[in-house]
Amino acid sequence: QVQLRESGPGLVKPSQTLSLTCTVSGGFISSAHHQWTWVRQRPGQGLEWIGYISYDGETFYTPSLQSRLLISADESANQFSLTLRSVTAHDTAVYYCARDFRGTVPPHGLDVWGQGIPVTVSS
Amino acid sequence: EIVLTQSPGTLSVSPGERAALSCRASETVFGNYVAWYQQKPGQAPRLLIYGASTRAAGIPDRFSGRGAGTQFTLIINRLEPDDFALYYCQHYSSSPPWTFGQGSKVEIK
């Protein structure tokens, strides 16, 4: 079965760039009908959908982060990544990667999640 | 962007009773592509329901979803201690962003 695992720094300084990676095991990021998604959760807050990269390279970012965000994929490593520039304390959150499988009707939604990685933005 | 509003914010229920959580969308959700997730403290969310009413793999039949258009409901029958948690709805239809509701907490009465 597909499993996801986030990795990256737990602490980033304000104005710097946050880079996180999600490693996929038990499946391939190039598998048809898959959208590889990032979700975050600020302390004490709800879930915030950030964006995705699909199996064919299509990306979509939530409008509030679009100007600072890049989601990319590395098929050879079976990983996808999040890069968020110019971070502030407002970006402090637990970041989750998740799989959105669209190969059925109805699609499954976010059916596989990583365990989450806490990121603090602080000097 | 579709806005999802969940209610109530907190629901106090006794074990063995029934809980009903509402999720209202600001516009019609195409295909009724609404999912429900459960989240416990310190854990990642878990998919419960997709397509408004289909249970995800391994989810007990005490959990059910219904609704269409702009109004969706998650029903939890015969609440067990493990069910006291946060619940989120999400739409994933038509155009992204595929937003979440703000969450509803089910607590022990």
Side-chain angles (χ1 to χ4, degrees), chain B residues 46-66:
Chain B
R46 175 176 71 145
L47 177 68
L48 299 175
I49 301 286
Y50 63 92
S53 60
T54 304
R55 273 188 300 279
I59 302 302
D61 61 7
R62 299 183 294 100
F63 291 88
S64 63
R66 65 188 187 204

Side-chain angles (χ1 to χ4, degrees), chain A residues 12-117:
Chain A
V12 183
K13 288 183 167 51
S15 80
Q16 293 193 340
T17 296
L18 167 65
S19 295
L20 298 175
T21 296
C22 183
T23 300
V24 180
S25 59
F28 298 99
I29 62 169
S30 58
S31 297
H33 310 301
H34 283 63
Q35 291 178 352
W36 303 99
T37 300
W38 289 96
V39 174
R40 73 180 181 181
Q41 187 168 35
R42 297 192 186 100
Q45 302 300 307
L47 302 172
E48 179 182 10
W49 187 91
I50 293 174
Y52 72 80
I53 184 164
S54 68
Y55 69 100
D56 59 0
E58 176 193 56
T59 57
F60 190 94
Y61 308 139
T62 194
S64 63
L65 297 176
Q66 189 170 5
S67 63
R68 301 191 289 128
L69 181 62
L70 174 70
I71 299 176
S72 58
D74 182 346
E75 279 192 34
S76 63
N78 216 32
Q79 296 174 331
F80 63 104
S81 298
L82 172 151
T83 302
L84 185 63
R85 298 182 292 107
S86 304
V87 297
T88 71
H90 195 62
D91 296 309
T92 293
V94 176
Y95 287 77
Y96 297 98
C97 58
R99 180 184 80 167
D100 186 338
F101 180 61
R102 300 247 161 195
T104 58
V105 179
H108 284 197
L110 299 171
D111 62 348
V112 180
W113 293 69
Q115 81 278 11
I117 183 168

Side-chain angles (χ1 to χ4, degrees), chain B residues 2-92:
Chain B
I2 295 178
V3 176
L4 300 180
T5 302
Q6 292 186 236
S7 60
T10 301
L11 184 64
S12 297
V13 188
S14 299
E17 294 186 339
R18 175 179 179 269
L21 306 178
S22 173
C23 177
R24 179 170 49 85
S26 59
E27 58 190 82
T28 298
V29 178
F30 170 78
N32 300 321
Y33 289 176
V34 168
W36 289 91
Y37 303 88
Q38 178 193 66
Q39 187 181 34
K40 298 176 185 177
Q43 296 185 18
R46 175 176 71 145
L47 177 68
L48 299 175
I49 301 286
Y50 63 92
S53 60
T54 304
R55 273 188 300 279
I59 302 302
D61 61 7
R62 299 183 294 100
F63 291 88
S64 63
R66 65 188 187 204
T70 63
Q71 190 64 50
F72 300 88
T73 304
L74 175 70
I75 304 289
I76 313 171
N77 288 309
R78 306 180 304 281
L79 273 156
E80 296 186 359
D82 194 48
D83 300 336
F84 293 93
L86 276 164
Y87 292 86
Y88 294 93
C89 60
Q90 181 204 21
H91 90 89
Y92 55 105

